[in-house]
Amino acid sequence: MKHTADLPALKAELVSRHGETQRARIERGVDQVASLWHGEDGDLAAFVREHFIADEKQLDATLARLETTFEQLDGHLHEINTELRRPTDLDLGPLLPVDPLLAAYDPAAHVTEDLFRSKVGFVALLNFPLTTLAERMEKGPGYTRRQWAEARLTGRFNSRVPAEVRQASSRAGADADLYIAEYNVWMHHLLDEQGRRLFPSGMRLISHWNLRDELKSRYADPEGVAKQRMIVKVMERIVTQSIPAAVIDNPRVDWNPFTNEVKEAPASEVEKDAPQRPVVLDGKREEDVRYAKLLAQFHAARMEDPYVPVAPTAVARSFELGRELPEARVKALLEQVLASPLVPRVAKEIESRLGRKLEPQDLWYAGFKASGKLSEDQLNTLTRQRYPTADAFARDLPRILQGLGFSKEKAAFLAAHIRVDASRGAGHAMQAMRRGDFPRLRTRVGPQGMDYKGYNIAVHELGHNVEQVFSLYSVDHTLLTGVPNSAFTEALAFVFQARDLELLGQAKPDAASERERVLNDFWQTWEIAGVALVDVAAWHWLYEHPDATPAQLREAVVRIARETWDRYYAPVLGGQGTPLLGIYSHMISYPLYLADYPLGHLISFQMEDHLKKAGNLGAEFERMASQGALTPDVWMTNATGAPVSAEPLLRATEAVLAR
């Protein structure tokens, strides 16, 4: 039930009491409150009369009080959530049956509704402006820092989603995340058509991250193409759900991914530390679990739709509220790269280096950077010796950070504010949300130490963590904590990741390596742009077919992935009709996130272009990250002098190809 207040009369009464100079604030504030007030909230008019603030000093004090309170509220709830997820996020041994239940519980699910019921949310809406994305895009360049803080305060109250709906979303997300975190393939137990084992004993790779990285690492391997083709076939089986259920995370059976034949692994080939798994040889495919998890995410998101009229679908919320970039603009940026005439020119250069026609696995071509020229064993030896444990990486943070250009004092400050853990999954960065808590760096550390894949991910996550420290501790308003969206934190992480080998003492930048960097950035952006389009298109299909079954969703995703491949990738990579673009695990555990990666590459390239001119990476990284959560174009213009664009990457690629 909505309110029954006479809003015009109420506004006139308040203007009469507080003066004509307050009219605009009164009219906007009353409307903002009324749009979300429920009948059970009580007497709207009485609330407005009591809580409208005309006095400037009291208004300032109220903003400061809410800012301090929300930092503590959000921060402590986030710490509780971090602890609840610790067993499922970290490599702490076998999970207990209760652990996934704890991870699915969201202690913050009721907070927004509780703040509405306690009227705190309505105090914010009554006294501070709730802006639209269009307003922020138009007027944001002229906002003061105070105005940005006000916009972020009211932005948290732009909708009123019931707690049970938020909790359902948390459960679906945690369930999907756990499914992905435990989706491993034991590579030694893959057999080719001659019955050969191409991969070493003990290699256990999570999908998709480790499978992709293993594929990328094989460009320096004389038998690399055969191994890459096998990985591609495994990926295709996962996407189409034709993978036998018995082979998932099971080293006690052997599997030929080309024929789909399953055999019992000889006892002599089973790893000594192999987990107990049933030996099932019927070859029965995994049920459509992958798509059931995605469908559950969709149903949870759809429950939220009626409560967010400003963005009534998950797709709209992803772009309008999450990225603060319209979907059409993001899609245009991605298609500008995907359809660029530079693509076949770069592909031709790759062909000349490989001495063969390109194949689907070359979507992840790694030869444009030094790691593509070093063997996996060499890289693993380097990182395992240096980082036998997660704690060893933590102890090395001051040196790493100084190597990235931070002063000794700043490096020590950053290292003291970051915690490093061994991850159960591929790795991630867990931010802190109040001063006094610590961002957490998670990466996989095997029994023999941190391999190069884990190290590469760790350096990427370190970029996230450093941004998280600066965007919490260095902002002038904690209401602005963070960066504009996930693409920006990905971009800042890419800045670190691009220097991982340099930090190992293996590469020094020069003109040749700069050329490699540009081509690598272009190819990686091209690769992930299509994956992002598949992710978004799948969600549009879901909204058009809300009653779909997991099997129907599987068929749709496979079709979308194939059509996208055939349009943008088959002309240069072949593989007509492959569903390979559907392999990314984010589609299942972090839906609608994937567009942040190509955006992150574009943003990162702009940042790198600026850093090259500015010189001091450490100081400039801190300056950029300390702006806080502005809108993307405002943040980027302040950081680099221009709004978000694909042009810098395309211009640089054109220039290096012309050399």
Side-chain angles (χ1 to χ4, degrees):
M1 184 177 69
K2 301 295 282 186
H3 67 85
T4 58
D6 183 342
L7 298 186
L10 180 59
K11 293 173 183 176
E13 176 189 334
L14 290 172
V15 171
S16 176
R17 180 190 302 178
H18 298 292
E20 189 64 32
T21 57
Q22 298 291 333
R23 177 180 291 278
R25 288 189 62 238
I26 289 167
E27 292 186 344
R28 185 166 191 162
V30 170
D31 286 340
Q32 289 173 178
V33 169
S35 68
L36 293 171
W37 191 277
H38 296 167
E40 59 267 27
D41 292 324
D43 189 336
L44 184 152
F47 169 82
V48 167
R49 292 186 188 104
E50 180 180 357
H51 288 283
F52 180 77
I53 302 169
D55 180 75
E56 285 295 326
K57 289 185 178 179
Q58 187 180 349
L59 197 65
D60 291 347
T62 301
L63 179 67
R65 182 66 50 79
L66 291 174
E67 182 167 52
T68 301
T69 300
F70 289 151
E71 178 190 350
Q72 296 303 313
L73 180 64
D74 294 343
H76 284 297
L77 286 170
H78 181 70
E79 289 172 67
I80 294 170
N81 187 62
T82 299
E83 183 60 26
L84 290 169
R85 293 179 59 91
R86 192 164 65 92
T88 58
D89 281 349
L90 303 187
D91 188 8
L92 303 176
L95 288 174
L96 298 173
V98 74
D99 289 330
L101 302 179
L102 291 170
Y105 169 62
D106 182 2
H110 292 75
V111 168
T112 300
E113 180 58 23
D114 286 347
L115 289 170
F116 275 117
R117 290 183 178 180
S118 68
K119 307 299 191 294
V120 173
F122 288 119
V123 169
L125 290 173
L126 180 61
N127 292 287
F128 303 100
L130 176 62
T131 58
T132 64
L133 176 57
E135 284 179 295
R136 293 191 297 278
M137 291 178 69
E138 178 187 352
K139 301 176 182 177
Y143 278 3
T144 63
R145 298 290 293 178
R146 159 69 179 260
Q147 286 175 303
W148 276 114
E150 291 177 351
R152 294 317 186 197
L153 169 65
T154 53
R156 68 185 291 153
F157 298 111
N158 63 10
S159 61
R160 194 173 180 180
V161 180
E164 60 270 20
V165 174
R166 292 192 185 278
Q167 190 67 61
S169 181
S170 296
R171 283 196 299 270
D175 187 43
D177 200 29
L178 181 60
Y179 168 73
I180 290 298
E182 296 189 325
Y183 202 112
N184 292 279
V185 177
W186 290 77
M187 303 301 285
H188 184 60
H189 298 278
L190 299 181
L191 305 179
D192 68 8
E193 294 183 357
Q194 286 75 47
R196 296 183 304 160
R197 301 176 189 275
L198 303 185
F199 298 94
S201 180
M203 180 178 282
R204 177 174 173 260
L205 302 183
I206 192 170
S207 175
H208 75 284
W209 293 277
N210 291 160
L211 287 172
R212 175 203 60 192
D213 292 344
E214 174 65 18
L215 185 156
K216 293 172 72 172
S217 75
R218 292 300 168 182
Y219 279 98
D221 183 343
E223 294 188 339
V225 173
K227 294 174 182 177
Q228 290 172 334
R229 288 172 180 162
M230 181 175 277
I231 293 172
V232 165
K233 181 53 67 174
V234 171
M235 289 177 166
E236 291 176 341
R237 295 282 188 194
I238 292 171
V239 176
T240 60
Q241 293 271 258
S242 59
I243 183 172
V247 309
I248 300 170
D249 202 20
N250 190 352
R252 298 184 181 276
V253 294
D254 292 337
W255 173 43
N256 181 329
F258 297 96
T259 65
N260 234 9
E261 183 183 7
V262 180
K263 298 179 179 179
E264 183 173 3
S268 60
E269 298 291 351
V270 176
E271 288 79 354
K272 292 181 180 179
D273 60 347
Q276 289 299 323
R277 296 284 190 271
V279 177
V280 180
L281 306 179
D282 60 11
K284 184 179 179 182
R285 76 176 183 89
E286 182 191 23
E287 298 295 333
D288 294 316
V289 181
R290 181 180 181 87
Y291 298 99
K293 302 297 182 185
L294 176 54
L295 201 57
Q297 296 260 49
F298 167 70
H299 289 312
R302 198 168 170 230
M303 291 170 61
E304 191 171 333
D305 293 350
Y307 301 100
V308 194
V310 294
T313 70
V315 179
R317 291 191 290 278
S318 172
F319 288 97
E320 300 287 324
L321 303 184
R323 293 183 182 89
E324 293 190 295
L325 285 170
E327 180 186 355
R329 183 173 172 205
V330 173
K331 187 176 180 182
L333 284 169
L334 303 190
E335 290 178 340
Q336 189 177 357
V337 176
L338 284 167
S340 170
L342 297 171
V343 173
R345 294 173 61 187
V346 177
K348 186 176 180 180
E349 176 148 343
I350 297 174
E351 284 187 347
S352 69
R353 296 187 183 198
L354 295 177
R356 61 169 172 81
K357 283 288 187 182
L358 298 190
E359 299 181 17
Q361 69 266 19
D362 300 313
L363 181 68
W364 294 290
Y365 175 71
F368 283 133
K369 55 183 183 178
S371 62
K373 300 180 177 68
L374 299 177
S375 74
E376 180 80 354
D377 289 342
Q378 288 174 305
L379 290 169
N380 287 339
T381 298
L382 283 170
T383 55
R384 284 170 175 156
Q385 286 178 346
R386 187 170 290 191
Y387 306 119
T389 63
D391 187 55
F393 187 81
R395 290 194 300 270
D396 201 31
L397 286 181
R399 182 199 66 82
I400 292 172
L401 291 162
Q402 287 181 69
L404 287 164
F406 295 98
S407 68
K408 183 177 180 180
E409 295 73 22
K410 190 67 68 174
F413 169 80
L414 291 167
H417 285 78
I418 296 169
R419 299 293 181 264
V420 181
D421 303 310
S423 174
R424 183 180 295 276
H428 61 275
M430 180 75 79
Q431 71 181 111
M433 297 183 69
R434 70 171 184 89
R435 297 173 187 185
D437 191 19
F438 305 100
R440 286 164 167 78
L441 187 160
R442 274 80 182 265
T443 193
R444 184 170 280 197
V445 182
Q448 296 176 296
M450 185 185 294
D451 63 15
Y452 174 68
K453 296 182 187 73
Y455 166 76
N456 178 264
I457 290 171
V459 176
H460 178 91
E461 304 307 339
L462 178 61
H464 286 302
N465 292 141
V466 171
E467 171 266 301
Q468 290 160 354
V469 172
F470 286 139
S471 66
L472 173 62
Y473 284 86
S474 300
V475 290
D476 48 355
H477 286 279
T478 54
L479 286 167
L480 295 176
T481 295
V483 290
N485 58 46
S486 296
F488 282 77
T489 191
E490 291 298 343
L492 289 162
F494 288 144
V495 170
F496 275 38
Q497 189 174 16
R499 291 160 174 79
D500 68 332
L501 286 170
E502 186 178 342
L503 295 169
L504 284 175
Q506 295 303 300
K508 295 292 182 182
D510 55 21
S513 63
E514 172 61 14
R515 184 178 191 275
E516 297 292 286
R517 180 185 75 86
V518 171
L519 293 174
N520 185 62
D521 280 357
F522 177 83
W523 198 253
Q524 286 193 330
T525 307
W526 178 70
E527 170 252 315
I528 200 68
V531 175
L533 290 186
V534 172
D535 188 23
V536 175
W539 275 76
H540 279 296
W541 185 90
L542 278 166
Y543 273 100
E544 293 163 4
H545 304 83
D547 299 320
T549 64
Q552 290 169 331
L553 176 57
R554 166 176 51 81
E555 292 171 1
V557 170
V558 169
R559 175 184 55 78
I560 291 166
R562 285 172 170 161
E563 289 174 352
T564 306
W565 180 275
D566 290 349
R567 180 176 181 183
Y568 294 113
Y569 297 92
V572 292
L573 299 179
Q576 191 86 12
T578 178
L580 200 55
L581 295 174
I583 187 58
Y584 273 66
S585 297
H586 304 73
M587 285 188 66
I588 311 306
S589 53
Y590 303 104
L592 294 167
Y593 184 91
L594 280 161
D596 290 325
Y597 285 109
L599 281 174
H601 281 299
L602 296 177
I603 293 164
S604 177
F605 196 88
Q606 283 183 263
M607 290 180 189
E608 289 280 13
D609 200 39
H610 169 77
L611 290 169
K612 191 165 55 175
K613 298 169 187 173
N616 190 328
L617 186 152
E620 282 300 294
F621 191 101
E622 179 177 7
R623 181 186 68 82
M624 291 189 288
S626 300
Q627 294 184 78
L630 312 181
T631 47
D633 284 335
V634 173
W635 193 99
M636 184 59 81
T637 300
N638 290 343
T640 69
V644 178
S645 171
E647 290 300 329
L649 176 60
L650 297 177
R651 282 198 303 267
T653 305
E654 174 75 44
V656 300
L657 287 172
R659 293 176 191 169

